[in-house]
């Protein structure tokens, strides 16, 4: 299939691209490289560099091309930032998405896999979370993703677009020593904990007075390869008429303190930490039920163990301590 991957230079998009190519799909990456890395894009993919917010530039960049499916991962995705700069989130995650639909459907696209998030649920009353839970985001990041899900439902109803939204829980780990997590600035827990392990720095724990077993936030960490595989499952499922949102997680929650403890075991180093104020917009606990993805998409995650996830991230960190700026080994 001819597939366009937006955000294909990013952490998750580059691994999705790798998996698509491995299954023989003709794959084009679209990215503005504002946060992604040119070196993360697999060599066999075509590359279009353009900002999705600029509709005229988008039309020009895609002129003469055709695609059957889109995997839409390009986004801003930081909870804390979204509480300070909501405009950035609604522009990048909502308006840019509408541009993408308007400019790619005339090129032949009739299906889209959308990178959504657990942040669409807000602060659920119980866990694990199923797809029929209320969606009441506590941050503008989650709100922007949820709004775009309803845009997709309208395009399905009015234009026949097939859509699946994958509500990621916490993407983590590295696909290989070639592709892993590299954000600038890095704000995610696992890479920051591993950097502290390697360099002797201190990890901030954002709040220890949440209603969770040890008072720190609980998240469901999922290996990047398992996450990437779900995109291919979703693309196939749309051929069977399946649509809608699907959770992707392991169904096991780990607190910030537990992530630090497992990282100490993996790295063999002691990691200093300090309790800091809560981060605005953070729900206490997000743990998925992915029963629907397993049963309906046929998703079969293989790498659910947190220790293995952190080991893969540690191998990536050792191979490339400065991410893509480090020379390949
Ligand atoms: N977190 C933390 N210290 C950090 C970074 C993150 O305590 O330096 C916490 C954060 O508040 C959240 C969890 O770790 O409860 C996971 O955060 P991350 O940013 O990795 O992912 P998110 O859940 O926001 O998608």
């Amino acid at each position: 299939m001819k597939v366009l991957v937006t955000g294909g230079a990013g952490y998750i998009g580059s691994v999705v691209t790798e998996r698509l190519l491995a299954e023989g799909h003709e794959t084009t990456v679209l990215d503005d490289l504002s946060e992604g890395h040119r070196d993360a894009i697999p060599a066999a993919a075509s590359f279009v560099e353009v900002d999705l917010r600029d509709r005229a530039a988008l039309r020009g960049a895609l002129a003469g091309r055709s695609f059957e499916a889109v995997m839409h991962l390009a986004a801003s995705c930081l909870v804390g930032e979204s509480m300070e700069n909501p405009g950035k989130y609604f522009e990048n995650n909502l308006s840019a998405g509408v541009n993408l639909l308007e400019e790619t459907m005339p090129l032949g696209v009739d299906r889209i896999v959308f990178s959504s998030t657990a942040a669409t649920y807000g602060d659920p009353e119980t866990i694990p979370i199923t797809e029929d839970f209320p969606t009441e985001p506590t941050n503008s990041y989650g709100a922007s993703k949820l709004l775009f899900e309803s845009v997709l439902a309208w395009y399905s109803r009015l234009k026949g677009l097939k859509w699946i939204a994958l509500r990621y829980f916490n993407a983590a780990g590295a696909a290989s020593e070639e592709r892993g997590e590299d954000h600038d600035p890095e704000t995610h827990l696992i890479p920051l904990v591993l950097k502290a392990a390697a360099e002797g720095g201190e990890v901030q724990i954002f709040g220890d007075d949440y209603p969770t077993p040890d008072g720190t936030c609980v998240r469901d960490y999922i290996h990047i390869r398992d996450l990437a595989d779900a995109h291919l499952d979703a693309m196939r499922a749309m051929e069977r008429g399946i649509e809608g949102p699907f959770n992707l997680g392991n169904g096991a929650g780990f607190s910030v303190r537990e992530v630090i403890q497992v990282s100490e075991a993996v790295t063999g180093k002691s990691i200093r930490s300090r309790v800091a104020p809560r981060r605005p917009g953070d729900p206490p606990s997000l743990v998925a039920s992915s029963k629907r993805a397993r049963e309906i998409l046929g998703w079969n995650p293989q790498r659910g163990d947190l220790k293995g996830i952190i080991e893969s991230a540690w191998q990536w960190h050792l191979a490339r301590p400065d991410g893509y700026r480090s020379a390949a080994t």
Side-chain angles (χ1 to χ4, degrees):
M1 203 175 276
K2 290 171 97 170
V3 187
L4 180 69
V5 184
T6 75
Y11 172 43
I12 304 170
S14 62
V15 183
V16 170
T17 303
E18 188 181 87
R19 302 306 304 148
L20 282 165
L21 289 165
E23 291 205 3
H25 297 287
E26 193 178 323
T27 309
T28 301
V29 164
L30 185 155
D31 204 295
D32 65 1
L33 298 182
S34 59
E35 289 175 31
H37 307 273
R38 183 71 185 81
D39 291 343
I41 304 171
S46 308
F47 177 45
V48 175
E49 186 175 346
V50 69
D51 182 341
L52 282 173
R53 292 169 304 181
D54 184 342
R55 187 154 163 197
L58 178 62
R59 182 174 299 175
L62 295 181
R65 297 174 189 258
S66 66
F67 306 100
E68 295 158 275
V70 168
M71 305 253 172
H72 180 36
L73 295 97
S76 297
C77 62
L78 302 178
V79 166
E81 183 188 53
S82 83
M83 297 301 276
E84 283 160 18
N85 191 359
K88 176 173 175 182
Y89 281 72
F90 293 113
E91 268 176 24
N92 286 348
N93 297 352
L94 184 60
S95 323
V98 176
N99 288 346
L100 175 70
L101 297 179
E102 289 293 328
E103 294 303 330
T104 56
M105 289 185 71
L107 305 179
V109 168
D110 71 350
R111 69 196 68 184
I112 180 166
V113 179
F114 173 53
S115 149
S116 189
T117 171
T120 51
Y121 293 108
D123 181 3
E125 278 177 19
T126 56
I127 51 171
I129 301 167
T130 53
E131 290 82 354
D132 54 6
F133 270 39
T135 43
E136 292 162 2
T138 55
N139 50 67
S140 80
Y141 164 57
S144 66
K145 289 283 187 173
L146 185 61
L147 285 166
F148 194 65
E149 285 190 16
S150 40
V151 168
L152 292 176
W154 277 105
Y155 274 74
S156 165
R157 188 166 153 185
L158 302 176
K159 303 264 182 186
L161 178 72
K162 301 190 246 325
W163 69 286
I164 284 182
L166 298 176
R167 293 181 175 164
Y168 306 161
F169 283 61
N170 285 61
S176 62
E177 288 181 11
E178 254 181 296
R179 281 187 191 88
E181 192 160 8
D182 177 4
H183 298 109
D184 184 18
E186 188 55 77
T187 63
H188 293 106
L189 182 64
I190 291 176
L192 287 174
V193 167
L194 296 179
K195 193 169 159 53
E199 297 172 8
E202 188 178 67
V203 178
Q204 295 186 55
I205 297 174
F206 295 150
D208 69 348
D209 57 353
Y210 284 99
T212 59
D214 68 12
T216 67
C217 284
V218 169
R219 294 288 181 274
D220 181 340
Y221 294 90
I222 167 171
H223 194 282
I224 184 86
R225 269 289 301 271
D226 285 337
L227 205 58
D229 286 344
H231 294 71
L232 284 94
D233 294 331
M235 198 166 76
R236 282 187 284 267
M238 283 187 287
E239 269 160 39
R240 307 193 299 273
I242 292 161
E243 289 194 323
F246 289 86
N247 290 342
L248 296 180
N250 285 307
F254 292 90
S255 72
V256 174
R257 284 201 196 282
E258 285 173 321
V259 167
I260 296 173
Q261 280 156 14
V262 174
S263 300
E264 286 184 322
V266 166
T267 62
K269 297 179 189 281
S270 74
I271 299 169
R272 287 188 299 123
S273 62
R274 170 171 70 83
V275 176
R278 288 183 176 197
R279 191 176 66 177
D282 257 346
S285 206
L286 291 174
V287 179
S289 163
S290 300
K291 193 165 174 274
R292 194 162 178 261
R294 289 168 195 261
E295 289 182 0
I296 300 180
L297 299 184
W299 183 51
N300 183 19
Q302 302 285 316
R303 303 164 186 85
D305 165 53
L306 182 65
K307 186 158 175 277
I309 291 173
I310 293 179
E311 269 164 6
S312 74
W314 182 235
Q315 290 311 315
W316 158 258
H317 181 86
L318 293 176
R320 294 182 177 235
D322 291 317
Y324 289 99
R325 287 187 307 282
S326 300
T329 48

mmCIF file of all heavy atoms in Angstrom, residues 17 26 28 32-33 60 89 92 106 160 171 220 250 261 277 299 304 308 320 326:
data_model
loop_
_atom_site.group_PDB
_atom_site.id
_atom_site.type_symbol
_atom_site.label_atom_id
_atom_site.label_comp_id
_atom_site.label_asym_id
_atom_site.label_seq_id
_atom_site.Cartn_x
_atom_site.Cartn_y
_atom_site.Cartn_z
ATOM 1 N N THR A 17 7.376 3.854 10.457
ATOM 2 C CA THR A 17 7.908 3.840 9.082
ATOM 3 C C THR A 17 8.767 2.592 8.844
ATOM 4 O O THR A 17 8.637 1.913 7.814
ATOM 5 C CB THR A 17 8.736 5.120 8.829
ATOM 6 O OG1 THR A 17 7.905 6.246 9.075
ATOM 7 C CG2 THR A 17 9.265 5.184 7.412
ATOM 8 N N GLU A 26 4.992 0.999 0.289
ATOM 9 C CA GLU A 26 5.700 2.150 -0.284
ATOM 10 C C GLU A 26 5.439 3.337 0.646
ATOM 11 O O GLU A 26 4.312 3.815 0.746
ATOM 12 C CB GLU A 26 5.125 2.414 -1.683
ATOM 13 C CG GLU A 26 5.945 3.353 -2.497
ATOM 14 C CD GLU A 26 5.313 3.526 -3.892
ATOM 15 O OE1 GLU A 26 4.775 2.552 -4.458
ATOM 16 O OE2 GLU A 26 5.367 4.661 -4.380
ATOM 17 N N THR A 28 6.108 7.092 2.488
ATOM 18 C CA THR A 28 6.618 8.458 2.417
ATOM 19 C C THR A 28 6.476 9.100 3.789
ATOM 20 O O THR A 28 5.405 9.020 4.399
ATOM 21 C CB THR A 28 5.816 9.289 1.390
ATOM 22 O OG1 THR A 28 5.932 8.649 0.121
ATOM 23 C CG2 THR A 28 6.333 10.718 1.284
ATOM 24 N N ASP A 32 8.148 18.313 9.426
ATOM 25 C CA ASP A 32 8.771 19.637 9.271
ATOM 26 C C ASP A 32 10.108 19.715 10.012
ATOM 27 O O ASP A 32 10.742 20.776 10.039
ATOM 28 C CB ASP A 32 7.818 20.762 9.727
ATOM 29 C CG ASP A 32 7.522 20.706 11.209
ATOM 30 O OD1 ASP A 32 8.052 19.815 11.901
ATOM 31 O OD2 ASP A 32 6.755 21.573 11.683
ATOM 32 N N LEU A 33 10.509 18.614 10.610
ATOM 33 C CA LEU A 33 11.774 18.511 11.346
ATOM 34 C C LEU A 33 11.874 19.528 12.481
ATOM 35 O O LEU A 33 12.970 19.834 12.942
ATOM 36 C CB LEU A 33 12.986 18.630 10.397
ATOM 37 C CG LEU A 33 13.097 17.538 9.337
ATOM 38 C CD1 LEU A 33 14.357 17.734 8.485
ATOM 39 C CD2 LEU A 33 13.135 16.135 9.955
ATOM 40 N N GLY A 60 1.488 22.155 -2.429
ATOM 41 C CA GLY A 60 2.621 22.169 -3.370
ATOM 42 C C GLY A 60 3.535 20.968 -3.153
ATOM 43 O O GLY A 60 3.962 20.309 -4.104
ATOM 44 N N TYR A 89 -1.145 23.857 20.646
ATOM 45 C CA TYR A 89 -1.728 22.518 20.593
ATOM 46 C C TYR A 89 -2.930 22.465 19.654
ATOM 47 O O TYR A 89 -3.088 21.512 18.893
ATOM 48 C CB TYR A 89 -2.031 22.011 22.033
ATOM 49 C CG TYR A 89 -0.720 21.534 22.615
ATOM 50 C CD1 TYR A 89 0.252 22.466 22.979
ATOM 51 C CD2 TYR A 89 -0.384 20.200 22.621
ATOM 52 C CE1 TYR A 89 1.514 22.070 23.390
ATOM 53 C CE2 TYR A 89 0.866 19.779 23.034
ATOM 54 C CZ TYR A 89 1.807 20.712 23.411
ATOM 55 O OH TYR A 89 3.058 20.296 23.782
ATOM 56 N N ASN A 92 -1.410 22.849 16.000
ATOM 57 C CA ASN A 92 -0.638 21.699 15.503
ATOM 58 C C ASN A 92 -1.440 20.409 15.487
ATOM 59 O O ASN A 92 -1.204 19.532 14.646
ATOM 60 C CB ASN A 92 0.604 21.470 16.371
ATOM 61 C CG ASN A 92 1.662 22.510 16.103
ATOM 62 O OD1 ASN A 92 1.574 23.254 15.143
ATOM 63 N ND2 ASN A 92 2.661 22.578 16.955
ATOM 64 N N PRO A 106 -8.021 14.196 -1.723
ATOM 65 C CA PRO A 106 -8.055 14.275 -3.199
ATOM 66 C C PRO A 106 -6.930 13.481 -3.870
ATOM 67 O O PRO A 106 -6.986 13.205 -5.071
ATOM 68 C CB PRO A 106 -7.884 15.780 -3.487
ATOM 69 C CG PRO A 106 -8.266 16.463 -2.214
ATOM 70 C CD PRO A 106 -7.887 15.528 -1.120
ATOM 71 N N GLY A 160 -16.879 9.461 3.884
ATOM 72 C CA GLY A 160 -16.506 8.047 3.735
ATOM 73 C C GLY A 160 -15.079 7.721 4.133
ATOM 74 O O GLY A 160 -14.570 6.650 3.780
ATOM 75 N N ALA A 171 4.384 5.702 25.632
ATOM 76 C CA ALA A 171 5.363 5.095 24.721
ATOM 77 C C ALA A 171 6.742 5.138 25.370
ATOM 78 O O ALA A 171 7.150 6.165 25.912
ATOM 79 C CB ALA A 171 5.390 5.864 23.408
ATOM 80 N N ASP A 220 1.070 3.628 32.403
ATOM 81 C CA ASP A 220 1.135 2.329 31.741
ATOM 82 C C ASP A 220 2.142 2.480 30.595
ATOM 83 O O ASP A 220 1.860 3.148 29.594
ATOM 84 C CB ASP A 220 -0.288 2.012 31.232
ATOM 85 C CG ASP A 220 -0.403 0.676 30.540
ATOM 86 O OD1 ASP A 220 0.614 0.143 30.099
ATOM 87 O OD2 ASP A 220 -1.551 0.198 30.422
ATOM 88 N N ASN A 250 -0.326 -1.775 28.362
ATOM 89 C CA ASN A 250 -0.100 -3.150 28.824
ATOM 90 C C ASN A 250 -1.068 -3.580 29.911
ATOM 91 O O ASN A 250 -1.082 -4.742 30.295
ATOM 92 C CB ASN A 250 1.325 -3.280 29.358
ATOM 93 C CG ASN A 250 2.316 -3.312 28.224
ATOM 94 O OD1 ASN A 250 2.177 -4.120 27.318
ATOM 95 N ND2 ASN A 250 3.284 -2.420 28.250
ATOM 96 N N GLN A 261 13.099 2.806 40.552
ATOM 97 C CA GLN A 261 13.664 1.570 41.135
ATOM 98 C C GLN A 261 14.045 0.562 40.049
ATOM 99 O O GLN A 261 15.131 -0.021 40.090
ATOM 100 C CB GLN A 261 12.645 0.918 42.079
ATOM 101 C CG GLN A 261 12.603 1.575 43.449
ATOM 102 C CD GLN A 261 11.257 1.339 44.155
ATOM 103 O OE1 GLN A 261 10.465 0.484 43.748
ATOM 104 N NE2 GLN A 261 10.998 2.116 45.191
ATOM 105 N N PRO A 277 7.107 20.086 42.892
ATOM 106 C CA PRO A 277 5.660 20.302 42.807
ATOM 107 C C PRO A 277 5.019 19.467 41.703
ATOM 108 O O PRO A 277 5.680 19.062 40.739
ATOM 109 C CB PRO A 277 5.547 21.799 42.482
ATOM 110 C CG PRO A 277 6.830 22.384 42.914
ATOM 111 C CD PRO A 277 7.874 21.325 42.733
ATOM 112 N N TRP A 299 -4.225 -7.156 17.756
ATOM 113 C CA TRP A 299 -2.925 -6.667 18.255
ATOM 114 C C TRP A 299 -2.358 -7.652 19.266
ATOM 115 O O TRP A 299 -3.072 -8.121 20.146
ATOM 116 C CB TRP A 299 -3.143 -5.299 18.900
ATOM 117 C CG TRP A 299 -1.900 -4.629 19.409
ATOM 118 C CD1 TRP A 299 -0.751 -4.428 18.719
ATOM 119 C CD2 TRP A 299 -1.716 -4.059 20.706
ATOM 120 N NE1 TRP A 299 0.154 -3.755 19.512
ATOM 121 C CE2 TRP A 299 -0.415 -3.527 20.729
ATOM 122 C CE3 TRP A 299 -2.513 -3.947 21.844
ATOM 123 C CZ2 TRP A 299 0.110 -2.886 21.855
ATOM 124 C CZ3 TRP A 299 -2.008 -3.306 22.957
ATOM 125 C CH2 TRP A 299 -0.709 -2.782 22.963
ATOM 126 N N GLY A 304 5.833 -6.399 26.901
ATOM 127 C CA GLY A 304 5.135 -5.649 27.942
ATOM 128 C C GLY A 304 5.896 -5.421 29.226
ATOM 129 O O GLY A 304 5.550 -4.540 30.007
ATOM 130 N N GLY A 308 12.247 -4.955 30.612
ATOM 131 C CA GLY A 308 12.722 -5.090 29.236
ATOM 132 C C GLY A 308 12.611 -3.772 28.482
ATOM 133 O O GLY A 308 13.484 -3.418 27.676
ATOM 134 N N ARG A 320 23.932 5.809 22.099
ATOM 135 C CA ARG A 320 23.800 7.185 21.600
ATOM 136 C C ARG A 320 23.450 8.127 22.747
ATOM 137 O O ARG A 320 22.299 8.575 22.863
ATOM 138 C CB ARG A 320 22.720 7.248 20.537
ATOM 139 C CG ARG A 320 23.101 6.456 19.286
ATOM 140 C CD ARG A 320 22.002 6.609 18.266
ATOM 141 N NE ARG A 320 22.339 5.940 17.038
ATOM 142 C CZ ARG A 320 22.342 6.542 15.842
ATOM 143 N NH1 ARG A 320 22.052 7.816 15.724
ATOM 144 N NH2 ARG A 320 22.635 5.867 14.756
ATOM 145 N N SER A 326 24.722 11.747 18.426
ATOM 146 C CA SER A 326 25.838 10.820 18.626
ATOM 147 C C SER A 326 26.085 10.067 17.327
ATOM 148 O O SER A 326 25.134 9.654 16.673
ATOM 149 C CB SER A 326 25.512 9.792 19.711
ATOM 150 O OG SER A 326 25.252 10.408 20.935
#
